[in-house]
């Protein structure tokens, strides 16, 4: 198991083996994703959002801002 110590400024040094496994280097971003309360997954955030282009098929149906707002309002009301 690999460990790191948190400094008084809340910083850690990621061990070289972990950096190599994740493929991250100085200046790269990482994310802490909550799996369950008190448990996080540490992942590399090295992919650009533009890599998602073409991942989903285009529906061909235009949606108005009003329709989007209505859908958001319905979904928000059902979440309460």
């Amino acid at each position: 198991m690999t460990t790191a110590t948190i400094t008084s400024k809340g910083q850690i040094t990621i061990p070289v083996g972990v950096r190599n496994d994740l493929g991250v280097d100085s200046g790269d971003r990482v994310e802490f994703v909550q799996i369950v309360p008190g448990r996080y997954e540490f992942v590399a955030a090295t992919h650009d959002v533009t890599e998602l282009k073409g991942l989903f098929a285009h529906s061909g149906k235009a949606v108005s801002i009003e329709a989007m707002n209505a859908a958001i309002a319905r979904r928000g009301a059902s979440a309460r």
Side-chain angles (χ1 to χ4, degrees):
M1 180 181 340
T2 303
T3 61
T5 302
I6 301 173
T7 69
S8 61
K9 293 183 177 183
Q11 300 172 332
I12 62 170
T13 299
I14 304 167
V16 69
V18 175
R19 291 193 313 262
N20 290 340
D21 286 347
L22 290 173
V24 295
D25 202 358
S26 178
D28 288 341
R29 298 184 62 84
V30 295
E31 295 177 350
F32 297 88
V33 180
Q34 186 176 36
I35 305 303
V36 295
R39 180 127 179 139
Y40 286 81
E41 186 171 302
F42 176 80
V43 295
T46 56
H47 298 288
D48 192 277
V49 70
T50 57
E51 293 180 30
L52 298 175
K53 184 176 181 180
L55 186 62
F56 301 100
H58 179 60
S59 70
K61 179 181 175 186
V63 179
S64 70
I65 297 295
E66 291 79 17
M68 284 188 233
N69 288 337
I72 292 167
R74 280 193 308 273
R75 184 65 179 228
S78 69
R80 291 183 190 152

